[in-house]
Amino acid sequence: MSKNLHVIIVFVFFILPLFMNAQTGIEPAPEDSESSVKYPQFQFKGLLQARYLESFGENVDVLGVHHSTGEVTQSSFDIKRMRIGLNTKLSEATEVVILVNLADFKSDPKGKVLENAYAKYTFNKYIALTGGQFRPAFGIEELVPVDIIKSFDFSNQYYEFGKNGWTSFQIGASATGSVDVGKIPISYAISVLNGNGRNQEMDNDNGKQYATRWVFGLSKVHKINLGLNGGIGKRSNQKVFAVGADITSDFKLTDKFTFDLQIEYKQGTNQNLYFSLPPEGRTAKIDDYQMRGIYFLPNLRYLVDYKKLTALELSCRFESFDNNFKTSPNLRRTYTPMISLEFGKAYTGRIEMGFEIDKYDKNIPNTAYYNDNLFLIQFQCRL
């Protein structure tokens, strides 16, 4: 993409909204020492996720890797996340967010630890600008914190698309907002990303990835939303793309029972896999390396409100994912049945128990592409 176009995009993201704001006639509120809100405001957040893991796969360790020697760790305690975050509101419109995961220090912390590091300025409900390192909107999971999802962790496709620069924590800029078209509320996100992951000193090439997400509110009663995602870009002068569609719904069955459902589909270029292969070990076309996946996540919630126990949840995510379905297909089917006990409000305390069951079309010895049954108990505490 030409340098002139990059300059135009920077202008649109950072300059044009200033004129938009000026023309809408929005003026700062008058100073009032008695009634005005004092800034800056600070909000500290934290999350601990500790787990017990036990693998029931034959010669498969708790990380899902097969070992033909038979020397394998099949049970272990683990700290999945130990997050500390700070949200600072500098004014009514400006906020700065920092989030770190100290659990990343248990392995090589290079390219890890720092998760969110961005500033956001909200002009009005129609447009807000974000710059720094953040999770760009490109699906359901990117808009939901991991501590309130309806399963143990994000889906396989979320992490694979993160390796390819579309999801998870990326460095770049984004414009977001919402508008009502008739009776249909619409929210949008448009992002420009380096596309080479988090905590990088700089982009590893001159290519950028351009992503967008549009969400249409189809029903306020049952909270049915349709999301559409699309992205294009360049990686080392090779054109890449990603597309997706998703739907969410939330049905109130009785005063105590609710049922919600998530369905998400994604497909795109697996440039991360393509460039990890030696030139002599891959085809000439990057389009020959594509990933594709879909998952269903139904969740049944029952309000208990008995002493400290707030709610009981039952969920079972089914996911079908292949990270190279055109050149070397090996479909991975993952079933994640889980029961969750919630203590306090908004998952302040949570105990989860269940399985992650992986089935591959082809088992590959001494790799993570191998059938496995992993049992988990996860304790969560958030503030």
Side-chain angles (χ1 to χ4, degrees):
M1 186 165 290
S2 68
K3 292 184 178 180
N4 290 336
L5 185 54
H6 284 166
V7 172
I8 293 173
I9 291 172
V10 171
F11 175 83
V12 171
F13 266 95
F14 294 105
I15 306 299
L16 184 59
L18 298 176
F19 294 96
M20 293 175 60
N21 190 51
Q23 293 176 8
T24 56
I26 298 176
E27 298 181 358
E31 291 292 333
D32 187 336
S33 59
E34 295 182 358
S35 60
S36 62
V37 179
K38 302 297 182 181
Y39 294 101
Q41 297 178 347
F42 302 95
Q43 181 183 19
F44 291 91
K45 296 183 178 181
L47 170 67
L48 170 66
Q49 286 182 336
R51 309 185 298 173
Y52 171 76
L53 311 171
E54 184 163 353
S55 173
F56 290 94
E58 184 177 355
N59 295 330
V60 178
D61 64 23
V62 293
L63 299 179
V65 179
H66 176 262
H67 300 263
S68 58
T69 61
E71 298 176 1
V72 53
T73 300
Q74 291 194 293
S75 65
S76 178
F77 290 97
D78 175 48
I79 298 177
K80 177 66 174 178
R81 291 178 177 88
M82 179 61 248
R83 282 177 166 172
I84 298 176
L86 173 63
N87 289 23
T88 304
K89 287 190 70 69
L90 302 179
S91 67
E92 184 179 359
T94 309
E95 61 179 312
V96 176
V97 177
I98 299 173
L99 180 66
V100 297
N101 181 17
L102 301 182
D104 282 335
F105 281 110
K106 65 187 178 184
S107 59
D108 184 2
K110 184 178 180 180
K112 301 179 182 178
V113 185
L114 182 63
E115 296 185 333
N116 279 329
Y118 66 84
K120 182 177 181 180
Y121 188 88
T122 302
F123 294 93
N124 47 51
K125 79 168 191 173
Y126 304 109
I127 186 167
L129 295 182
T130 301
Q133 182 168 286
F134 57 95
R135 295 170 65 198
F138 201 76
I140 301 171
E141 296 173 294
E142 290 72 62
L143 304 177
V144 180
V146 71
D147 40 317
I148 63 172
I149 62 173
K150 308 300 183 179
S151 195
F152 290 109
D153 206 345
F154 293 125
S155 65
N156 300 322
Q157 70 176 30
Y158 172 83
Y159 286 109
E160 200 68 29
F161 276 78
K163 294 177 184 177
N164 287 275
W166 302 108
T167 63
S168 191
F169 302 98
Q170 304 292 334
I171 300 175
S174 180
T176 58
S178 61
V179 64
D180 293 335
V181 178
K183 295 183 179 180
I184 300 178
I186 300 175
S187 61
Y188 75 90
I190 302 172
S191 305
V192 182
L193 311 166
N194 283 343
N196 60 323
R198 57 175 170 161
N199 302 337
Q200 303 298 319
E201 184 177 0
M202 60 181 179
D203 196 359
N204 56 2
D205 57 20
N206 287 321
K208 296 294 181 288
Q209 293 180 202
Y210 305 86
T212 185
R213 173 172 172 80
W214 296 80
V215 179
F216 304 87
L218 304 183
S219 172
K220 292 183 179 180
V221 177
H222 300 303
K223 299 179 181 179
I224 299 176
N225 295 314
L226 171 66
L228 300 176
N229 314 287
I232 57 173
K234 278 190 175 183
R235 176 75 179 274
S236 298
N237 293 322
Q238 297 276 3
K239 293 182 179 180
V240 299
F241 82 96
V243 294
D246 53 76
I247 190 165
T248 61
S249 61
D250 193 347
F251 296 88
K252 186 173 183 179
L253 305 179
T254 67
D255 290 339
K256 291 185 175 291
F257 276 105
T258 57
F259 175 79
D260 58 85
L261 175 65
Q262 298 177 9
I263 304 174
E264 183 166 10
Y265 171 85
K266 279 193 178 82
Q267 180 175 332
T269 311
N270 195 338
Q271 61 264 27
N272 180 67
L273 173 61
Y274 178 81
F275 287 109
S276 69
L277 299 173
E280 64 275 9
R282 67 193 187 200
T283 66
K285 296 181 179 180
I286 195 172
D287 280 342
D288 291 338
Y289 296 82
Q290 292 188 27
M291 50 190 172
R292 178 174 63 189
I294 186 171
Y295 74 80
F296 302 82
L297 178 53
N299 181 76
L300 183 64
R301 177 179 175 88
Y302 176 70
L303 294 178
V304 178
D305 286 333
Y306 178 73
K307 295 185 177 180
K308 296 182 179 181
L309 180 62
T310 304
L312 172 69
E313 291 189 353
L314 296 172
S315 69
C316 184
R317 180 171 62 203
F318 166 73
E319 181 176 9
S320 175
F321 182 77
D322 197 326
N323 73 336
N324 190 13
F325 70 90
K326 295 186 71 175
T327 302
S328 181
N330 189 11
L331 189 64
R332 176 184 184 182
R333 297 179 180 87
T334 303
Y335 308 85
T336 312
M338 186 187 80
I339 182 171
S340 172
L341 303 176
E342 179 187 353
F343 300 89
K345 296 182 179 180
Y347 297 142
T348 300
R350 196 179 186 190
I351 299 176
E352 304 154 297
M353 182 173 61
F355 286 87
E356 287 183 355
I357 303 169
D358 280 324
K359 301 295 181 183
Y360 287 91
D361 282 350
K362 296 177 290 186
N363 281 330
I364 303 176
N366 298 310
T367 71
Y369 299 93
Y370 209 90
N371 293 346
D372 183 31
N373 299 323
L374 181 67
F375 173 73
L376 300 94
I377 298 178
Q378 181 165 285
F379 170 75
Q380 172 179 299
C381 183
R382 67 194 297 258
L383 55 91

